Amino acid sequence: MPASRLSRFEAFSLFAFRYFRFQTSLISFPILVSSQLLNNSTPQPLMTSLTEHLWFEIPNRRGFINITPTIEELVRKSGVSEGLCLVNAMHITASVFINDDESGLHHDYEQWLEKLAPHAPTSAYQHNRTGEDNADAHLKRQIMGREVVVAITKGKLDFGPWEQIFYGEFDGRRKKRVLVKIIGE
Amino acid sequence: MPASRLSRFEAFSLFAFRYFRFQTSLISFPILVSSQLLNNSTPQPLMTSLTEHLWFEIPNRRGFINITPTIEELVRKSGVSEGLCLVNAMHITASVFINDDESGLHHDYEQWLEKLAPHAPTSAYQHNRTGEDNADAHLKRQIMGREVVVAITKGKLDFGPWEQIFYGEFDGRRKKRVLVKIIGE
Amino acid sequence: MPASRLSRFEAFSLFAFRYFRFQTSLISFPILVSSQLLNNSTPQPLMTSLTEHLWFEIPNRRGFINITPTIEELVRKSGVSEGLCLVNAMHITASVFINDDESGLHHDYEQWLEKLAPHAPTSAYQHNRTGEDNADAHLKRQIMGREVVVAITKGKLDFGPWEQIFYGEFDGRRKKRVLVKIIGE
C-alpha cells in the first residue's frame, strides 16, 4: 500500500470525524474497514445511533398528538437502514403508544380511561396527599404504556396499514419531553 | 501481504455478498476486518438483522395463538448470538404478549377483557360511527400490549420457565400480520 | 508495518480475549480495526452486550422494589456508551415498569389493581382450577407490563426527572428473576 493512499484515508477519517462531531445529536461511528478487503474504497459505517428529545406543552390536562411524521423525519436523519427505534415518554404521567388516528376512537379512549381510573375525587388517592392532583394520570399511563419499539427496515418505520405513533398526555399544562433513540446500521 | 492472499479475500467478499443478497429476508453485513490484526484469516460478521412478517387469519373475532416455536426458529435462522428480538402486531386491534400457555388462563383473559372493555353495546363507542364495530378491540389491545422485546443470549430466546409468546386477536376473520425483527451479532 | 508492531497488536488481542472470557456474563466483541486507517493505535470495540439475571424473593404476595441503582451499575459495567437496555420480568406473574418512587402512589397502584383484577374469590378464575391461586397476578401483570426498554446515552440511562425502574411482584414468597440485557457500543 503506497504512502499516498494511506494519506487519503487519513484525510477522509479526519473529515468524517469533524463532520459527525458537529451534528450535535447524531452520534455516528464510521469505523473504516480496509478497502483492500472490501474491494472498494468507500468507508463503511458499522453502527449508528441518533438521540433526540421532543418537547410538548399540551394546553389541557389531557390530549393525544400524532408524532409519526416527526419520527419518520428522525429515521431519515439517522441514516439507519436496519435497526430499532425506541420512542418513550420521559414523564411518568404521559404515554407513547401506537394506535389509530381517528378522533372518535380518541374520545373513546378518554372516556374509557376516565372510567378505569377516574380523576375525581382526587382525595381517593394517597399520592395526591403530596400536593399533586395527578394520581389518576400515573394510573392511566400504565394502561396506555410508556414506550414503543418500532422496527426500521430499508430505512423506514416498518408499519402496518393503520399504525400511527401518539404522544398521550394525562397531566398537561406544563413542558414535557419524549425521547427518540434509534440504533442500527 | 502477497497479492495472491488479497485475491482470496476478494473472492470471499464477493461470495458473501452474493450469498446474503439471495436470502431475501436475511440482511447481513459481514464487514471484514484485517486478518493482520485479528491474526487469523476468518472474516468477522459484525451486526446482523432479520425481518419476517407472519400472517394470521383467525376464524373467530377473538383468539390467542402461541407463536413461540416460530420465533425460536427465526432466531436460529438469523444466526444472532447476542441481541434483541422485537415481535409486534402490525394491526391496531391485535396484540403480541408474553404469558402462560394455559387454556384456563386464556378463558380468564377473555372474560376479564370483556368486562373492562365490553364489545356491546357497540353504539357506546364513537369509533363505531365510522362503520366499524371494533372499538372495544382497540381498547383491549392497549391492556394486552402491542409488542414484546425479548433478549437473545447464546443464540436462544432468554426466557423464564413459563414465558411463551402469544398473538392476541380481538377483531379477527381477516388477514393480519406480525413483524419479527432481530438485531445483534 | 514492521513486524514488531504487529506483535504488540497480537499481544493485546490475546489479552482482550482472555480478559473478556473470564467475565462470565460480560460478552464483548473487541473487533480491532486497522490503526493505519483510524490513524491511531487504540483498538476499537464495535458492539458490546451484557446479560445479567437479578434474583428476588419478596416475603409477601405483592410488592414494588426500586431496582434503578442496580440497573445503573450494570450500564456502567457494560461499558456501553450509546445503546438500549432491556429489563424484563422472567416470570409471568411479575412486572418491570417505570414510574414514581412515592409510597402513596404505590398504595394507589395496589388498590387500583385489586379493583381491576381482584384476587378473591379465587374460584372466579378457571386458571385457579390448576391448583394455583394466582390468576389475578397474571392479569395485574398485563396492566403493569412485562418489560421496559431504556435508552443509554453517553454511558447513562437517558431518564426524565422522575423515572425510576421497579420490579412489581404480584405472586411472591418464591424466588424469581429479572433479566437485564444491554446492547450497544
Side-chain angles (χ1 to χ4, degrees):
Chain A
M1 188 179 269
S4 64
R5 244 183 116 186
L6 277 184
S7 302
R8 265 186 282 142
F9 277 114
E10 284 164 11
F12 182 90
S13 222
L14 204 62
F15 162 75
F17 176 72
R18 287 194 175 149
Y19 177 77
F20 287 113
R21 223 174 45 149
F22 286 107
Q23 300 265 343
T24 51
S25 64
L26 178 62
I27 299 151
S28 197
F29 297 86
I31 309 295
L32 310 178
V33 179
S34 166
S35 66
Q36 291 184 315
L37 295 172
L38 286 178
N39 197 26
N40 78 57
S41 58
T42 314
Q44 303 292 321
L46 294 185
M47 190 169 168
T48 303
S49 67
L50 180 143
T51 310
E52 289 271 356
H53 298 90
L54 315 177
W55 285 93
F56 298 90
E57 188 167 2
I58 308 287
N60 303 314
R61 186 180 288 274
R62 290 191 281 275
F64 298 129
I65 296 181
N66 188 338
I67 58 175
T68 317
T70 307
I71 309 300
E72 283 170 341
E73 179 54 35
L74 292 176
V75 170
R76 269 193 296 275
K77 184 179 167 188
S78 75
V80 166
S81 164
E82 300 294 321
L84 296 178
C85 176
L86 166 71
V87 188
N88 71 264
M90 299 186 78
H91 296 259
I92 52 190
T93 51
S95 282
V96 169
F97 66 95
I98 286 177
N99 219 295
D100 200 358
D101 196 358
E102 199 277 304
S103 61
L105 180 64
H106 295 183
H107 171 90
D108 296 335
Y109 275 137
E110 165 72 20
Q111 285 216 323
W112 179 60
L113 292 168
E114 191 59 24
K115 197 181 77 182
L116 291 186
H119 175 70
T122 54
S123 62
Y125 299 102
Q126 281 198 11
H127 179 60
N128 290 337
R129 296 183 194 168
T130 62
E132 299 274 7
D133 68 350
N134 64 6
D136 66 304
H138 291 274
L139 277 47
K140 285 166 170 137
R141 116 76 168 250
Q142 288 307 121
I143 299 265
M144 297 304 278
R146 166 187 178 261
E147 80 219 6
V148 296
V149 179
V150 184
I152 299 171
T153 304
K154 296 178 184 167
K156 294 192 173 172
L157 295 172
D158 200 338
F159 263 164
W162 301 101
E163 288 192 283
Q164 298 282 306
I165 309 176
F166 288 89
Y167 174 69
E169 178 62 84
F170 305 113
D171 187 35
R173 299 168 301 184
R174 61 182 91 178
K175 284 195 167 185
K176 289 185 173 180
R177 281 183 301 161
V178 159
L179 172 65
V180 184
K181 187 97 191 183
I182 295 169
I183 71 166
E185 17 178 33
Chain B
M1 190 181 264
S4 65
R5 253 193 105 179
L6 279 183
S7 302
R8 264 186 283 138
F9 276 115
E10 284 165 9
F12 182 90
S13 224
L14 204 61
F15 163 76
F17 176 71
R18 288 193 174 150
Y19 177 77
F20 287 114
R21 222 172 48 146
F22 287 107
Q23 300 265 341
T24 52
S25 63
L26 177 62
I27 298 150
S28 195
F29 297 86
I31 310 296
L32 311 177
V33 180
S34 166
S35 67
Q36 288 185 318
L37 294 172
L38 286 177
N39 198 26
N40 77 56
S41 58
T42 314
Q44 303 290 321
L46 294 184
M47 189 167 167
T48 303
S49 68
L50 180 143
T51 310
E52 289 269 357
H53 299 90
L54 314 178
W55 285 92
F56 298 90
E57 188 167 1
I58 308 286
N60 303 314
R61 187 180 287 274
R62 291 190 280 275
F64 299 129
I65 295 181
N66 189 338
I67 58 174
T68 316
T70 306
I71 310 300
E72 283 170 342
E73 179 54 34
L74 292 176
V75 170
R76 266 193 297 276
K77 183 180 169 189
S78 75
V80 166
S81 164
E82 300 295 320
L84 296 178
C85 176
L86 166 70
V87 188
N88 70 264
M90 299 187 78
H91 297 259
I92 53 190
T93 51
S95 282
V96 169
F97 66 94
I98 287 177
N99 218 294
D100 199 358
D101 196 358
E102 199 278 303
S103 61
L105 180 65
H106 295 183
H107 170 90
D108 296 335
Y109 274 137
E110 164 72 20
Q111 284 217 323
W112 179 60
L113 292 168
E114 191 57 26
K115 197 181 76 181
L116 292 185
H119 175 69
T122 54
S123 62
Y125 300 102
Q126 280 198 10
H127 179 60
N128 290 338
R129 296 183 195 169
T130 63
E132 299 274 8
D133 67 349
N134 64 6
D136 65 303
H138 291 274
L139 276 48
K140 285 164 171 139
R141 115 75 169 251
Q142 289 306 120
I143 299 266
M144 297 305 277
R146 167 186 179 262
E147 80 218 5
V148 296
V149 179
V150 184
I152 299 170
T153 304
K154 296 177 185 167
K156 292 193 173 172
L157 295 172
D158 200 337
F159 263 164
W162 301 101
E163 287 191 285
Q164 298 282 306
I165 308 176
F166 288 90
Y167 174 69
E169 177 63 82
F170 305 114
D171 186 35
R173 300 168 301 184
R174 60 182 93 179
K175 283 195 169 187
K176 289 187 172 177
R177 281 182 302 161
V178 159
L179 171 64
V180 184
K181 187 97 190 185
I182 296 170
I183 71 165
E185 20 178 31
Chain C
M1 189 179 263
S4 64
R5 245 185 118 183
L6 279 185
S7 302
R8 264 188 282 140
F9 276 114
E10 285 165 9
F12 182 89
S13 222
L14 204 63
F15 163 76
F17 177 72
R18 287 195 174 148
Y19 178 77
F20 287 114
R21 221 172 49 146
F22 288 107
Q23 300 264 343
T24 52
S25 64
L26 178 62
I27 299 151
S28 195
F29 298 84
I31 309 295
L32 311 177
V33 179
S34 165
S35 65
Q36 289 184 317
L37 295 172
L38 286 178
N39 198 25
N40 77 57
S41 59
T42 314
Q44 303 291 321
L46 295 184
M47 189 167 167
T48 303
S49 68
L50 179 142
T51 310
E52 288 271 355
H53 299 89
L54 314 178
W55 285 93
F56 297 91
E57 189 167 2
I58 309 286
N60 304 315
R61 186 178 289 273
R62 290 191 281 274
F64 298 129
I65 296 181
N66 188 339
I67 58 175
T68 317
T70 306
I71 309 301
E72 284 170 340
E73 179 55 35
L74 292 176
V75 170
R76 268 194 295 276
K77 184 180 168 189
S78 75
V80 166
S81 165
E82 300 294 321
L84 295 178
C85 176
L86 166 70
V87 188
N88 70 264
M90 299 186 78
H91 296 259
I92 53 191
T93 50
S95 283
V96 169
F97 66 95
I98 286 177
N99 219 295
D100 200 357
D101 196 358
E102 199 277 304
S103 61
L105 180 64
H106 295 182
H107 171 91
D108 296 335
Y109 275 137
E110 164 72 20
Q111 284 216 324
W112 180 60
L113 292 168
E114 191 58 24
K115 196 181 77 183
L116 292 185
H119 175 69
T122 54
S123 62
Y125 300 102
Q126 280 198 13
H127 179 60
N128 290 338
R129 296 183 194 168
T130 62
E132 299 275 6
D133 68 350
N134 64 5
D136 65 305
H138 291 274
L139 276 48
K140 286 166 169 138
R141 115 76 168 250
Q142 289 305 122
I143 299 265
M144 297 304 278
R146 167 187 178 260
E147 79 220 6
V148 297
V149 178
V150 184
I152 299 171
T153 304
K154 295 177 186 169
K156 292 191 173 174
L157 296 172
D158 199 337
F159 263 163
W162 300 101
E163 287 191 285
Q164 298 282 305
I165 308 175
F166 288 90
Y167 174 69
E169 177 63 82
F170 305 114
D171 187 36
R173 299 168 301 185
R174 61 182 93 179
K175 283 196 168 186
K176 289 187 172 177
R177 282 182 301 161
V178 159
L179 171 65
V180 184
K181 187 96 189 183
I182 296 170
I183 71 166
E185 21 180 28

